[in-house]
Amino acid sequence: MSAPELRLRTPSPQLLALPWDVPLADWDPATVPLRDLPVGPSRHLVRFVVADGVLWALKELPVRLAHKEYEALRRMEAMGLPTVRAAGLVVRSVPEDSAVLVTRFLTGSWQYRRLFARLPPDRAAHRARLLDAMAGLLVELHRHGVFWGDCSLANTLFSRDGQALQAHLVDAETAEIHPSLSDGQRQMDLDILVENVASGLIDVAASLGRPPEIEPRLIEEALGVPERYQALWDALHAAPRFAFSDRYRVESTVRDLEELGFVVDEVSLVPDGDAVRLRVGVGDRRFHAQRLRELTGLDVGEGQARELLADLQAHRGALSRAEGRRVSEDEAAPSWLHDVLTPGMRRAHAAVGHVGTAVQAWCDLLEVRWLLSEAAGHDVGTDAAMEALAEKAPTDSAARALVADTRADLPVVGSSDPN
């Protein structure tokens, strides 16, 4: 028997020491640090293992498919797309035509399927957040020429990003990467998404014993995803035509795209008869994250950055009033980072039992404080919000709907597990 071929991007000692020459189904939990995590329907065996304090997902599949998926994930990672990260590929001679794809577990993430299962039938607003994130993921893939071919609840992970959600591609077996996609390819991917999501929602509802009357509502929600997709696609690709004298419209268009989180790379005004047509070159969806990093050095998600920048602005306003002058963002950033954010993140993270990341805990605290203050008619302060976050966040908060209700699903790995 020949030794397996290993390609590992992270050649950690414990990862190298795993029994790669043995079929994945035969790995013994008594000798291998396996973790039992829920997975959705899968064509191939998926198991999870802890090595050097990190949780890895292992999928056994035919060699050709394994190579195809590994390379697709690597290419999408290079594009900066929200996907799981390929960590390695192991090809074995026994059993014949067998390989194991190694990906790093996306810490703090959940399957859409399990989240939908946890949301009560009357939580349509929270299901809408999930579907918005799924539509946004497909737009990002299509902008970069990626045809997914199998977008479904089981193949999508989500992580919290401030009060927004970020969807991640987790299965690239059917993915194809082209220089660009035709309208027909994009529509086919959308059709697959609608069919898979509708059937997935109905399947989850049936498994929970929910009445058949809910099915039309779930189908209607799935049918609404293309509209969400098209609205975002149009915002990114619209080329409005207007008079040359109306150049002020450029600023509003750029501002709208920046509000959506996209970095505008280039703006061009192209003559079109007696008018001009605006074309905007859009880069990554990291506008607010990029600004926060410039000010503080912090590297966080786009949704988190939007909330942290708002908190920085509030701190800046307080400094300006205290000093009787206009304090700039650059001046306010160091004291906000040292006096507000760093100690606040520590307290908020402890309040939620160190679930997720410290920066997300602070974002949750900011939302809870705002909700409580709106209800009270005045600012309730950080201490009151911290107490509510620790005990029971307001029902309509994302912190309550999408953190507290899912804590039981989070794997505990160890102190070296990445946030």
Side-chain angles (χ1 to χ4, degrees):
M1 180 191 303
S2 60
E5 175 191 342
L6 273 71
R7 293 171 60 186
L8 297 177
R9 298 174 68 191
T10 308
S12 65
Q14 292 181 12
L15 198 58
L16 283 168
L18 292 174
W20 297 113
D21 54 336
V22 177
L24 200 55
D26 296 335
W27 285 20
D28 185 359
T31 57
V32 180
L34 296 169
R35 286 295 173 88
D36 186 16
L37 297 181
V39 295
S42 175
R43 289 182 289 270
H44 307 290
L45 176 63
V46 178
R47 304 191 79 174
F48 300 90
V49 66
V50 177
D52 294 293
V54 177
L55 187 61
W56 309 92
L58 313 179
K59 180 166 69 170
E60 194 167 63
L61 66 172
V63 174
R64 183 186 63 82
L65 288 179
H67 276 288
K68 178 177 181 291
E69 185 166 7
Y70 179 77
E71 294 302 330
L73 288 174
R74 289 291 304 271
R75 289 181 65 184
M76 285 187 271
E77 179 183 347
M79 296 176 191
L81 292 172
T83 68
V84 294
R85 297 294 182 248
L89 185 64
V90 180
V91 178
R92 295 190 300 249
S93 58
V94 178
E96 188 178 354
D97 193 28
S98 170
V100 177
L101 175 69
V102 184
T103 57
R104 188 166 186 146
F105 182 81
L106 188 60
T107 307
S109 66
W110 300 275
Q111 280 191 342
Y112 272 83
R113 185 181 182 87
R114 293 190 64 76
L115 282 170
F116 275 112
R118 285 184 171 272
L119 292 176
D122 60 349
R123 294 278 184 89
H126 293 307
R127 287 198 300 274
R129 289 189 188 190
L130 302 177
L131 294 174
D132 277 339
M134 185 173 279
L137 170 61
L138 203 60
V139 166
E140 282 295 280
L141 294 175
H142 287 177
R143 287 181 60 228
H144 290 80
V146 179
F147 175 83
W148 191 350
D150 194 18
C151 181
S152 67
L153 299 180
N155 290 343
T156 309
L157 293 178
F158 110 94
S159 61
R160 307 245 358 263
D161 184 12
Q163 304 323 313
L165 303 175
Q166 176 62 63
H168 303 261
L169 178 151
V170 70
D171 190 320
E173 282 183 41
T174 57
E176 299 173 3
I177 302 176
H178 306 275
S180 63
L181 297 184
S182 67
D183 290 345
Q185 287 172 311
R186 292 193 300 109
Q187 186 60 53
M188 182 182 298
D189 230 6
L190 269 172
D191 292 343
I192 292 170
L193 180 152
V194 170
E195 181 178 350
N196 285 347
V197 169
S199 61
L201 290 176
I202 292 172
D203 179 55
V204 171
S207 69
L208 296 171
R210 291 178 181 167
E213 298 82 59
I214 196 177
E215 288 188 10
R217 187 193 313 170
L218 297 176
I219 292 173
E220 184 179 353
E221 290 177 2
L223 290 172
V225 176
E227 185 176 342
R228 302 169 189 271
Y229 169 98
Q230 197 61 49
L232 183 55
W233 185 269
D234 289 346
L236 291 169
H237 296 86
R241 184 176 183 274
F242 48 81
F244 186 70
S245 59
D246 292 340
R247 293 189 298 280
Y248 67 89
R249 292 180 59 181
V250 173
E251 181 182 354
S252 63
T253 300
V254 170
R255 190 165 51 245
D256 289 345
L257 289 171
E258 289 175 345
E259 278 299 304
L260 288 170
F262 291 97
V263 178
V264 174
D265 288 336
E266 183 180 77
V267 172
S268 60
L269 293 173
V270 182
D272 186 5
D274 59 352
V276 292
R277 192 171 291 279
L278 172 63
R279 290 197 170 91
V280 182
V282 179
D284 293 335
R285 200 171 191 175
R286 296 276 297 169
F287 174 76
H288 299 92
Q290 184 172 299
R291 179 56 181 156
L292 184 70
R293 188 170 187 175
E294 291 169 357
L295 288 167
T296 66
L298 293 171
D299 187 9
V300 302
E302 173 64 16
Q304 293 168 338
R306 185 193 297 268
E307 302 214 11
L308 295 181
L309 284 172
D311 193 39
L312 170 57
Q313 290 302 325
H315 177 71
R316 176 189 174 195
L319 286 181
S320 298
R321 290 190 295 274
E323 298 185 16
R325 66 180 182 88
R326 186 178 181 276
V327 177
S328 70
E329 276 188 330
D330 293 285
E331 289 179 282
S335 62
W336 171 76
L337 188 62
H338 182 270
D339 301 333
V340 178
L341 182 64
T342 301
M345 285 196 304
R346 250 187 239 114
R347 291 182 62 198
H349 204 202
V352 298
H354 295 96
V355 170
T357 65
V359 68
Q360 181 59 52
W362 180 250
C363 289
D364 288 336
L365 182 281
L366 294 176
E367 187 207 21
V368 169
R369 178 172 175 170
W370 181 81
L371 288 170
L372 294 177
S373 299
E374 282 286 296
H378 62 85
D379 187 356
V380 300
T382 299
D383 289 342
M386 197 74 72
E387 183 178 349
L389 183 66
E391 295 180 358
K392 199 167 190 180
T395 303
D396 50 351
S397 72
R400 170 77 178 278
L402 297 172
V403 174
D405 291 348
T406 52
R407 286 180 187 172
D409 288 341
L410 292 175
V412 177
V413 177
S415 58
S416 60
D417 191 37
N419 283 330

